[in-house]
Amino acid sequence: AVAILAVIVAVPLSFPRHVFSEKVLTDISREAIARGKGNATLIVNEVVALLRKEYGHWINKEPEWMFNNAGGAMGTLLLLHASLSEYVIIFGSAIGTE
């Protein structure tokens, strides 16, 4: 029974399903930056709107900003999508995170 369960879990995990296209994400980012004209709030809102238009139900319907401290980088992040193979977040910090 354990072996069957391991196969049922392992087989889907061995074939990652990627929903998001690097080119589409790049295009969305560039378009949002152009439309936002330097206003970070407008840019983020535009990215979320364009992602929803392109990817529909794959984008979290009501994302919430949360604090994050990982590897010394303190900031806030907006989790828009998460799966076993990929995630989409917007991360921001008031200070450098190098």
Side-chain angles (χ1 to χ4, degrees):
V2 174
I4 293 172
L5 179 60
V7 170
I8 290 172
V9 171
V11 171
L13 293 177
S14 66
F15 301 105
R17 179 165 185 235
H18 298 283
V19 174
F20 298 91
S21 158
E22 182 179 343
K23 180 184 180 332
V24 173
L25 292 176
T26 300
D27 292 345
I28 285 173
S29 299
R30 288 183 176 152
E31 186 174 341
I33 290 168
R35 289 183 185 181
K37 299 180 178 162
N39 182 318
T41 302
L42 292 177
I43 293 169
V44 169
N45 291 341
E46 192 64 27
V47 166
V48 173
L50 291 170
L51 285 170
R52 282 203 179 105
K53 182 178 177 185
E54 183 69 32
Y55 292 106
H57 73 277
W58 293 106
I59 301 300
N60 189 355
K61 290 179 184 170
E62 295 182 24
E64 293 183 24
W65 287 97
M66 59 187 92
F67 290 106
N68 180 48
N69 187 5
M74 177 65 101
T76 56
L77 67 84
L78 187 65
L79 179 64
L80 298 172
H81 171 83
S83 69
L84 293 174
S85 59
E86 60 192 347
Y87 63 90
V88 177
I89 65 170
I90 296 175
F91 178 83
S93 176
I95 59 172
T97 58
E98 294 83 30

